[in-house]
Structure formats: C-alpha cells, structure tokens
Amino acid sequence: MKIAYIFTSPHASSYKLAQMILPQLEAGTHGVTVVGMFFFDDNTYVLRKGDPIGARLSKIASQTGMLLMMCDMCALFRSLAEGTPKWSAPNVPDSERCVPIDTVPGVEVGCFPDLYSALSENPPDQIITL
C-alpha cells in the first residue's frame, strides 16, 4: 500500500514523525510505502537546513523518491521560501515563483494543486493527516 502524510497539528513532525514514523522508515519496518509528505505551519521547521530530523528525511527521500513538500505560504511566513505563491498570483512568471531556501536537499514548496500534481505520477492509496 502507498500512503502520503500531511502534517498539520502542532508538533506532528517533531513528535509523531521524528519519534515514530521516521525510525520505522529508516529500519524498513513501516509496513507501507510512503510516497509523499506535506508540511503545514511550524511543522515546516523540521525541513530547515541543519535540522537533524530534516536531514534524516532528506536521506530517506533521496533513496526512495518520496516527495517532501511544504505549504508555500507557511514556508514564506517562516523564511523557508522566497518568491510569489503560484496560486495567489497566477499571472506571475515562473522565474518569480516560490522556491525553498535554507532547507534540506529535495524539499519542494507548493499548495494543494502542486501536491496533487506531484503525487499524480505515483498516487497514494491513502492520505493520513497528523
């Protein structure tokens, strides 16, 4: 089974992900294939360059092809991205679109339409919101 996680509740990434899901992924005992993770609000902070959780996630993502995406507006608010959010200004040229900054390798930024598009090539069977 293929799944995607959406981290919305406070401390979901620093506790549920870091203490439960990530160790299982690293050990190969999670029991499902994780095709993507989407981060909201302060959960985006684990994707900062230098964060040990983010470094571990980036390593797993590079090995498995798992998507790591953070909400563009959440990332902009927390100085983890720069540019213009695609969906709030559809006429902005691609060169001015929102891009991640100071994050671990492999992180993307976007909104739900970007998430849908990114996961469409490898769609999950289930999406779990934590």
Side-chain angles (χ1 to χ4, degrees):
M1 177 184 330
K2 297 187 298 184
I3 63 161
Y5 287 109
I6 298 177
F7 297 97
T8 62
S9 60
H11 309 293
S13 59
S14 61
Y15 178 65
K16 293 173 183 103
L17 172 60
Q19 302 299 315
M20 298 176 212
I21 298 167
L22 186 52
Q24 292 173 4
L25 289 172
E26 291 169 326
T29 60
H30 194 54
V32 295
T33 300
V34 180
V35 296
M37 295 185 179
F38 193 67
F39 298 81
F40 280 100
D41 302 320
D42 287 348
N43 290 297
T44 59
Y45 284 131
V46 300
L47 299 174
R48 286 180 294 197
K49 184 182 289 184
D51 187 285
I53 299 166
R56 292 166 57 199
L57 270 178
S58 178
K59 181 179 177 183
I60 293 287
S62 70
Q63 294 169 347
T64 65
M66 177 176 64
L67 172 70
L68 296 176
M69 184 180 281
M70 55 186 170
C71 162
D72 52 7
M73 296 298 286
C74 301
L76 285 165
F77 184 74
R78 289 160 181 81
S79 299
L80 293 172
E82 62 187 8
T84 302
K86 180 179 189 177
W87 302 103
S88 66
N91 296 325
V92 170
D94 286 344
S95 62
E96 296 177 27
R97 295 283 180 222
C98 192
V99 294
I101 56 171
D102 296 325
T103 61
V104 296
V107 173
E108 298 180 32
V109 294
C111 195
F112 276 113
D114 301 304
L115 177 65
Y116 307 146
S117 177
L119 290 176
S120 68
E121 295 178 21
N122 191 15
D125 299 308
Q126 294 183 13
I127 297 175
I128 298 171
T129 302
L130 299 170

